[in-house]
Amino acid sequence: MDFLSFRTQLSHEGTYIGRTPMSVHKTKYIKSDSYDNLLTEVNHLMVPKQTFSCFVVDRVKYSGVELPYTYTIICIYKEVQNVYGLEAIKAYNGWAMAVTGAVIVMIGLSVLSFIISQLHRITDIVDNRNARKLKKSNVQSAADVSASQPVLPPLSDLGETMNHFKLLTQEVGDTFDLAALFQIFIHHDDPHPHLTIRSLREQGYLVSAGEGLFSWKHQ
Amino acid sequence: MDLFIQFLTNTGYYLADYRHLIMLVVGCTFVYLAIAKKYEPLLLLPIGFGVIVGNIPFFKGFGLGIYESNSVLHYLYFGVTSGLYPSIVFLGLGAMTDFSSLLVRPKLMLLGAAAQMGIYFTLLSALAFGFLPKEAASIAIIGGADGPTSIFLTAKLAPHLIGPVAIAAYSYMALIPIIQPPIMRLLTTREERLIRMPEIERTVSRKELLLFPVIGVILCCFLAPASIPLLGTFFFGNLMKVSGVVDRLAKTAASSIIDTATIFLGFTVGASTQGDVFLTPKSVGIFVLGAVAFSIATACGVLFAKLMNLFSTSKINPLLGAAGVSAVPGSAREVHLVGQKEDPSNYLLMHAMACNSSGVIGSAICAGILWSFLA
């Protein structure tokens, strides 16, 4: 058996190398140059009456390669009587663990429940504030646009709108997709590009040319 | 001739004893249930075949068995003992979960918390039966009805019990249609089962869906940091899904990644049930207590829903409490079916899914709490 296998076997047997238990009652140092002796000693501590933690603290090599290593293992363990029923629950602090655990999970999920019940209100408040800001800036920009930009044909006169943009779409060809048209509208500061395109479609000024492309209605 | 005899003595036929044969029958039964009866085939098929593979007798020392270092199975099993597979499964689970129904009915989250009380009742029962605290906690978490969570906690607290705990947890998840309905019917009247849940018209905004995983991970993991390996990945998976900016990652997490983890998790857990280490009186105790845990969890959820009805003006169908365990979506489906048996026009599925998803969070928190108590 090599050192790694030895450690692995300790782990498999239920020991936790390098960790200390919460309650320490007894400590035992086991020193040997034989793995088998060490394991026998450790197993002796590992009767069901005990909880424990073992870890290798030292690995000393005697001078000369032919001599074996010597290991020191500290086993810290808490002796507990083999108890059952209410006595066992009390001995292992079971009541406290159960009540505390139950209360924590109940409070945790109640708080989460309360927060998510208010979440839509918070997002609504934020959305409303943003909407008010957007509306304000739209009114401002609309006023700016009307003062500085050439007037676009009114949406109610779709025929004129079509003629207006027909000239602008000449560069993309007779057929075009709606995304390209949308970009042209944006570029020419149409305040409602979606609405305009939708109205043109519904009124038949924009006609499908197949394969996702559109063209202007022939007049 | 000597060589032939030596070969024969090294074969599985020669080395088999009654425990191997019993476990082979168990494995074949799981495979049969998965294929013929379609009982949770995604779980029972890999576990069942794993049981068969793990119980083929072999000559010890060849590095073949799952408990022998350097064996292939041992390396695959590392994902179980380290808690890696459960964490990955939770990532995929998060990427598959839609919290919309929970966000419009946050009150139902309390049922997910109530169903976790079964875990603590079982903790006390296991201690009373003489199990050590770490073993008792590993058995108790079966009440959460969440296979990956049970495996994760057991790997951390009582690795020697992974096989029986995992088999018990997954078996009871597969047996939901048998275990839960009688308890639901026993604890509710017909009038209660007929209660219709009010439909909520509100649509959940994208912002809410985005905020929930962030708030959830902060709140839950601050409360129980030991649940980070489970809830951290769970909420991350969900954020990937709802963000809409990493669809490729979310789809991979919800398909290839969780499937891969499920395959190896099921197969290696099955293979870990070698007859000589699995067939012990302790395993029998774990199976009995696991059934108790699952039943008490179901009962706690139902009873808590009835308790809520005493103080609430809008009544909750108490069947929903049974979906507070985190067996997704089995328990939600069962609640829906039991409700429909009484009134075919009563649709409880979406409400039950809300309880179910909160149950997943609740059981992971419980695992974190128990781990921090006993580590």
Side-chain angles (χ1 to χ4, degrees), chain B residues 329-353:
Chain B
S331 56
R333 192 173 52 215
E334 211 47 47
V335 165
H336 179 69
L337 291 175
V338 172
Q340 286 219 312
K341 267 186 191 164
E342 301 293 343
D343 176 5
S345 63
N346 194 4
Y347 291 91
L348 295 172
L349 189 63
M350 289 315 290
H351 302 82
M353 280 305 292

PDB file of all heavy atoms in Angstrom, chain B residues 329-353:
ATOM      1  N   PRO B 329     -41.013  17.627 -12.911  1.00  0.00           N
ATOM      2  CA  PRO B 329     -42.354  18.171 -12.704  1.00  0.00           C
ATOM      3  C   PRO B 329     -43.339  17.122 -12.208  1.00  0.00           C
ATOM      4  O   PRO B 329     -44.540  17.332 -12.263  1.00  0.00           O
ATOM      5  CB  PRO B 329     -42.733  18.639 -14.115  1.00  0.00           C
ATOM      6  CG  PRO B 329     -42.112  17.575 -14.994  1.00  0.00           C
ATOM      7  CD  PRO B 329     -40.872  17.052 -14.268  1.00  0.00           C
ATOM      8  N   GLY B 330     -42.813  15.978 -11.723  1.00  0.00           N
ATOM      9  CA  GLY B 330     -43.662  14.853 -11.370  1.00  0.00           C
ATOM     10  C   GLY B 330     -44.747  15.183 -10.363  1.00  0.00           C
ATOM     11  O   GLY B 330     -45.913  14.836 -10.559  1.00  0.00           O
ATOM     12  N   SER B 331     -44.354  15.884  -9.298  1.00  0.00           N
ATOM     13  CA  SER B 331     -45.351  16.138  -8.254  1.00  0.00           C
ATOM     14  C   SER B 331     -46.382  17.159  -8.738  1.00  0.00           C
ATOM     15  O   SER B 331     -47.563  17.052  -8.395  1.00  0.00           O
ATOM     16  CB  SER B 331     -44.682  16.595  -6.963  1.00  0.00           C
ATOM     17  OG  SER B 331     -43.898  17.715  -7.180  1.00  0.00           O
ATOM     18  N   ALA B 332     -45.961  18.140  -9.546  1.00  0.00           N
ATOM     19  CA  ALA B 332     -46.912  19.123 -10.084  1.00  0.00           C
ATOM     20  C   ALA B 332     -47.931  18.419 -10.981  1.00  0.00           C
ATOM     21  O   ALA B 332     -49.133  18.690 -10.927  1.00  0.00           O
ATOM     22  CB  ALA B 332     -46.173  20.196 -10.869  1.00  0.00           C
ATOM     23  N   ARG B 333     -47.429  17.489 -11.778  1.00  0.00           N
ATOM     24  CA  ARG B 333     -48.307  16.740 -12.682  1.00  0.00           C
ATOM     25  C   ARG B 333     -49.314  15.914 -11.874  1.00  0.00           C
ATOM     26  O   ARG B 333     -50.494  15.861 -12.202  1.00  0.00           O
ATOM     27  CB  ARG B 333     -47.428  15.831 -13.545  1.00  0.00           C
ATOM     28  CG  ARG B 333     -48.132  15.189 -14.716  1.00  0.00           C
ATOM     29  CD  ARG B 333     -47.140  14.460 -15.581  1.00  0.00           C
ATOM     30  NE  ARG B 333     -46.315  13.532 -14.805  1.00  0.00           N
ATOM     31  CZ  ARG B 333     -45.040  13.280 -15.051  1.00  0.00           C
ATOM     32  NH1 ARG B 333     -44.419  13.888 -16.018  1.00  0.00           N
ATOM     33  NH2 ARG B 333     -44.357  12.420 -14.311  1.00  0.00           N
ATOM     34  N   GLU B 334     -48.841  15.334 -10.774  1.00  0.00           N
ATOM     35  CA  GLU B 334     -49.715  14.496  -9.960  1.00  0.00           C
ATOM     36  C   GLU B 334     -50.802  15.322  -9.285  1.00  0.00           C
ATOM     37  O   GLU B 334     -51.961  14.902  -9.218  1.00  0.00           O
ATOM     38  CB  GLU B 334     -48.863  13.769  -8.899  1.00  0.00           C
ATOM     39  CG  GLU B 334     -49.386  12.428  -8.515  1.00  0.00           C
ATOM     40  CD  GLU B 334     -49.772  11.554  -9.686  1.00  0.00           C
ATOM     41  OE1 GLU B 334     -48.985  11.452 -10.640  1.00  0.00           O
ATOM     42  OE2 GLU B 334     -50.887  10.995  -9.651  1.00  0.00           O
ATOM     43  N   VAL B 335     -50.413  16.502  -8.796  1.00  0.00           N
ATOM     44  CA  VAL B 335     -51.390  17.402  -8.183  1.00  0.00           C
ATOM     45  C   VAL B 335     -52.466  17.758  -9.209  1.00  0.00           C
ATOM     46  O   VAL B 335     -53.668  17.727  -8.922  1.00  0.00           O
ATOM     47  CB  VAL B 335     -50.683  18.685  -7.677  1.00  0.00           C
ATOM     48  CG1 VAL B 335     -51.688  19.783  -7.385  1.00  0.00           C
ATOM     49  CG2 VAL B 335     -49.879  18.372  -6.434  1.00  0.00           C
ATOM     50  N   HIS B 336     -52.025  18.076 -10.403  1.00  0.00           N
ATOM     51  CA  HIS B 336     -52.953  18.435 -11.475  1.00  0.00           C
ATOM     52  C   HIS B 336     -53.918  17.278 -11.765  1.00  0.00           C
ATOM     53  O   HIS B 336     -55.134  17.472 -11.888  1.00  0.00           O
ATOM     54  CB  HIS B 336     -52.145  18.798 -12.721  1.00  0.00           C
ATOM     55  CG  HIS B 336     -52.978  19.161 -13.906  1.00  0.00           C
ATOM     56  ND1 HIS B 336     -53.716  20.315 -13.960  1.00  0.00           N
ATOM     57  CD2 HIS B 336     -53.202  18.506 -15.074  1.00  0.00           C
ATOM     58  CE1 HIS B 336     -54.355  20.365 -15.116  1.00  0.00           C
ATOM     59  NE2 HIS B 336     -54.063  19.279 -15.799  1.00  0.00           N
ATOM     60  N   LEU B 337     -53.366  16.062 -11.825  1.00  0.00           N
ATOM     61  CA  LEU B 337     -54.203  14.897 -12.150  1.00  0.00           C
ATOM     62  C   LEU B 337     -55.216  14.601 -11.046  1.00  0.00           C
ATOM     63  O   LEU B 337     -56.377  14.289 -11.327  1.00  0.00           O
ATOM     64  CB  LEU B 337     -53.310  13.675 -12.400  1.00  0.00           C
ATOM     65  CG  LEU B 337     -52.462  13.729 -13.673  1.00  0.00           C
ATOM     66  CD1 LEU B 337     -51.535  12.533 -13.762  1.00  0.00           C
ATOM     67  CD2 LEU B 337     -53.350  13.787 -14.909  1.00  0.00           C
ATOM     68  N   VAL B 338     -54.765  14.715  -9.789  1.00  0.00           N
ATOM     69  CA  VAL B 338     -55.687  14.464  -8.665  1.00  0.00           C
ATOM     70  C   VAL B 338     -56.803  15.518  -8.678  1.00  0.00           C
ATOM     71  O   VAL B 338     -57.979  15.195  -8.473  1.00  0.00           O
ATOM     72  CB  VAL B 338     -54.923  14.474  -7.317  1.00  0.00           C
ATOM     73  CG1 VAL B 338     -55.903  14.411  -6.142  1.00  0.00           C
ATOM     74  CG2 VAL B 338     -53.971  13.301  -7.245  1.00  0.00           C
ATOM     75  N   GLY B 339     -56.436  16.762  -8.951  1.00  0.00           N
ATOM     76  CA  GLY B 339     -57.437  17.832  -9.027  1.00  0.00           C
ATOM     77  C   GLY B 339     -58.426  17.582 -10.159  1.00  0.00           C
ATOM     78  O   GLY B 339     -59.631  17.784 -10.006  1.00  0.00           O
ATOM     79  N   GLN B 340     -57.904  17.096 -11.280  1.00  0.00           N
ATOM     80  CA  GLN B 340     -58.782  16.862 -12.439  1.00  0.00           C
ATOM     81  C   GLN B 340     -59.701  15.663 -12.258  1.00  0.00           C
ATOM     82  O   GLN B 340     -60.747  15.581 -12.894  1.00  0.00           O
ATOM     83  CB  GLN B 340     -57.932  16.694 -13.690  1.00  0.00           C
ATOM     84  CG  GLN B 340     -57.343  18.014 -14.171  1.00  0.00           C
ATOM     85  CD  GLN B 340     -57.349  18.133 -15.666  1.00  0.00           C
ATOM     86  OE1 GLN B 340     -56.942  17.219 -16.348  1.00  0.00           O
ATOM     87  NE2 GLN B 340     -57.798  19.270 -16.171  1.00  0.00           N
ATOM     88  N   LYS B 341     -59.300  14.756 -11.388  1.00  0.00           N
ATOM     89  CA  LYS B 341     -60.183  13.609 -11.128  1.00  0.00           C
ATOM     90  C   LYS B 341     -61.476  14.080 -10.470  1.00  0.00           C
ATOM     91  O   LYS B 341     -62.533  13.505 -10.676  1.00  0.00           O
ATOM     92  CB  LYS B 341     -59.462  12.604 -10.218  1.00  0.00           C
ATOM     93  CG  LYS B 341     -58.736  11.549 -11.009  1.00  0.00           C
ATOM     94  CD  LYS B 341     -58.150  10.482 -10.125  1.00  0.00           C
ATOM     95  CE  LYS B 341     -57.224   9.608 -10.949  1.00  0.00           C
ATOM     96  NZ  LYS B 341     -56.343   8.803 -10.120  1.00  0.00           N
ATOM     97  N   GLU B 342     -61.351  15.119  -9.651  1.00  0.00           N
ATOM     98  CA  GLU B 342     -62.547  15.660  -8.984  1.00  0.00           C
ATOM     99  C   GLU B 342     -63.319  16.584  -9.926  1.00  0.00           C
ATOM    100  O   GLU B 342     -64.534  16.608  -9.916  1.00  0.00           O
ATOM    101  CB  GLU B 342     -62.132  16.445  -7.725  1.00  0.00           C
ATOM    102  CG  GLU B 342     -61.374  15.628  -6.703  1.00  0.00           C
ATOM    103  CD  GLU B 342     -62.211  14.541  -6.059  1.00  0.00           C
ATOM    104  OE1 GLU B 342     -63.454  14.602  -6.160  1.00  0.00           O
ATOM    105  OE2 GLU B 342     -61.606  13.605  -5.482  1.00  0.00           O
ATOM    106  N   ASP B 343     -62.580  17.385 -10.681  1.00  0.00           N
ATOM    107  CA  ASP B 343     -63.222  18.339 -11.584  1.00  0.00           C
ATOM    108  C   ASP B 343     -62.335  18.477 -12.825  1.00  0.00           C
ATOM    109  O   ASP B 343     -61.307  19.160 -12.802  1.00  0.00           O
ATOM    110  CB  ASP B 343     -63.350  19.693 -10.860  1.00  0.00           C
ATOM    111  CG  ASP B 343     -63.914  20.769 -11.784  1.00  0.00           C
ATOM    112  OD1 ASP B 343     -64.285  20.430 -12.928  1.00  0.00           O
ATOM    113  OD2 ASP B 343     -63.983  21.939 -11.363  1.00  0.00           O
ATOM    114  N   PRO B 344     -62.750  17.827 -13.897  1.00  0.00           N
ATOM    115  CA  PRO B 344     -61.894  17.818 -15.101  1.00  0.00           C
ATOM    116  C   PRO B 344     -61.616  19.201 -15.678  1.00  0.00           C
ATOM    117  O   PRO B 344     -60.699  19.359 -16.487  1.00  0.00           O
ATOM    118  CB  PRO B 344     -62.696  16.971 -16.094  1.00  0.00           C
ATOM    119  CG  PRO B 344     -63.606  16.157 -15.267  1.00  0.00           C
ATOM    120  CD  PRO B 344     -63.934  16.981 -14.062  1.00  0.00           C
ATOM    121  N   SER B 345     -62.393  20.199 -15.273  1.00  0.00           N
ATOM    122  CA  SER B 345     -62.150  21.530 -15.833  1.00  0.00           C
ATOM    123  C   SER B 345     -61.280  22.392 -14.913  1.00  0.00           C
ATOM    124  O   SER B 345     -61.083  23.573 -15.168  1.00  0.00           O
ATOM    125  CB  SER B 345     -63.483  22.240 -16.095  1.00  0.00           C
ATOM    126  OG  SER B 345     -64.161  22.427 -14.873  1.00  0.00           O
ATOM    127  N   ASN B 346     -60.778  21.782 -13.837  1.00  0.00           N
ATOM    128  CA  ASN B 346     -59.932  22.536 -12.905  1.00  0.00           C
ATOM    129  C   ASN B 346     -58.459  22.344 -13.273  1.00  0.00           C
ATOM    130  O   ASN B 346     -57.927  21.234 -13.145  1.00  0.00           O
ATOM    131  CB  ASN B 346     -60.199  22.047 -11.473  1.00  0.00           C
ATOM    132  CG  ASN B 346     -59.631  22.990 -10.437  1.00  0.00           C
ATOM    133  OD1 ASN B 346     -59.109  24.046 -10.766  1.00  0.00           O
ATOM    134  ND2 ASN B 346     -59.737  22.616  -9.176  1.00  0.00           N
ATOM    135  N   TYR B 347     -57.827  23.398 -13.720  1.00  0.00           N
ATOM    136  CA  TYR B 347     -56.431  23.298 -14.170  1.00  0.00           C
ATOM    137  C   TYR B 347     -55.499  23.835 -13.095  1.00  0.00           C
ATOM    138  O   TYR B 347     -55.449  25.028 -12.845  1.00  0.00           O
ATOM    139  CB  TYR B 347     -56.227  24.045 -15.484  1.00  0.00           C
ATOM    140  CG  TYR B 347     -56.931  23.374 -16.633  1.00  0.00           C
ATOM    141  CD1 TYR B 347     -58.221  23.726 -16.975  1.00  0.00           C
ATOM    142  CD2 TYR B 347     -56.312  22.350 -17.341  1.00  0.00           C
ATOM    143  CE1 TYR B 347     -58.886  23.091 -18.005  1.00  0.00           C
ATOM    144  CE2 TYR B 347     -56.967  21.699 -18.372  1.00  0.00           C
ATOM    145  CZ  TYR B 347     -58.252  22.078 -18.705  1.00  0.00           C
ATOM    146  OH  TYR B 347     -58.905  21.435 -19.714  1.00  0.00           O
ATOM    147  N   LEU B 348     -54.758  22.931 -12.468  1.00  0.00           N
ATOM    148  CA  LEU B 348     -53.875  23.330 -11.362  1.00  0.00           C
ATOM    149  C   LEU B 348     -52.404  23.294 -11.746  1.00  0.00           C
ATOM    150  O   LEU B 348     -51.542  23.628 -10.930  1.00  0.00           O
ATOM    151  CB  LEU B 348     -54.096  22.390 -10.168  1.00  0.00           C
ATOM    152  CG  LEU B 348     -55.472  22.426  -9.512  1.00  0.00           C
ATOM    153  CD1 LEU B 348     -55.590  21.302  -8.486  1.00  0.00           C
ATOM    154  CD2 LEU B 348     -55.707  23.765  -8.828  1.00  0.00           C
ATOM    155  N   LEU B 349     -52.123  22.899 -12.981  1.00  0.00           N
ATOM    156  CA  LEU B 349     -50.734  22.611 -13.345  1.00  0.00           C
ATOM    157  C   LEU B 349     -49.801  23.807 -13.160  1.00  0.00           C
ATOM    158  O   LEU B 349     -48.739  23.684 -12.547  1.00  0.00           O
ATOM    159  CB  LEU B 349     -50.653  22.102 -14.784  1.00  0.00           C
ATOM    160  CG  LEU B 349     -49.281  21.571 -15.189  1.00  0.00           C
ATOM    161  CD1 LEU B 349     -48.883  20.365 -14.358  1.00  0.00           C
ATOM    162  CD2 LEU B 349     -49.251  21.199 -16.651  1.00  0.00           C
ATOM    163  N   MET B 350     -50.200  24.974 -13.659  1.00  0.00           N
ATOM    164  CA  MET B 350     -49.291  26.128 -13.587  1.00  0.00           C
ATOM    165  C   MET B 350     -49.082  26.566 -12.144  1.00  0.00           C
ATOM    166  O   MET B 350     -47.977  26.956 -11.754  1.00  0.00           O
ATOM    167  CB  MET B 350     -49.841  27.299 -14.412  1.00  0.00           C
ATOM    168  CG  MET B 350     -49.761  27.069 -15.911  1.00  0.00           C
ATOM    169  SD  MET B 350     -48.182  26.405 -16.453  1.00  0.00           S
ATOM    170  CE  MET B 350     -47.120  27.804 -16.204  1.00  0.00           C
ATOM    171  N   HIS B 351     -50.139  26.470 -11.344  1.00  0.00           N
ATOM    172  CA  HIS B 351     -50.005  26.814  -9.928  1.00  0.00           C
ATOM    173  C   HIS B 351     -49.080  25.812  -9.227  1.00  0.00           C
ATOM    174  O   HIS B 351     -48.240  26.185  -8.406  1.00  0.00           O
ATOM    175  CB  HIS B 351     -51.376  26.817  -9.251  1.00  0.00           C
ATOM    176  CG  HIS B 351     -52.351  27.766  -9.875  1.00  0.00           C
ATOM    177  ND1 HIS B 351     -53.079  27.453 -11.000  1.00  0.00           N
ATOM    178  CD2 HIS B 351     -52.705  29.026  -9.537  1.00  0.00           C
ATOM    179  CE1 HIS B 351     -53.832  28.467 -11.325  1.00  0.00           C
ATOM    180  NE2 HIS B 351     -53.627  29.447 -10.461  1.00  0.00           N
ATOM    181  N   ALA B 352     -49.253  24.545  -9.590  1.00  0.00           N
ATOM    182  CA  ALA B 352     -48.417  23.511  -8.977  1.00  0.00           C
ATOM    183  C   ALA B 352     -46.953  23.676  -9.381  1.00  0.00           C
ATOM    184  O   ALA B 352     -46.047  23.421  -8.583  1.00  0.00           O
ATOM    185  CB  ALA B 352     -48.927  22.131  -9.375  1.00  0.00           C
ATOM    186  N   MET B 353     -46.730  24.139 -10.608  1.00  0.00           N
ATOM    187  CA  MET B 353     -45.341  24.355 -11.051  1.00  0.00           C
ATOM    188  C   MET B 353     -44.679  25.469 -10.244  1.00  0.00           C
ATOM    189  O   MET B 353     -43.469  25.437 -10.003  1.00  0.00           O
ATOM    190  CB  MET B 353     -45.304  24.706 -12.547  1.00  0.00           C
ATOM    191  CG  MET B 353     -45.431  23.504 -13.464  1.00  0.00           C
ATOM    192  SD  MET B 353     -44.228  22.206 -13.164  1.00  0.00           S
ATOM    193  CE  MET B 353     -42.724  23.013 -13.663  1.00  0.00           C
TER     194      MET B 353
END
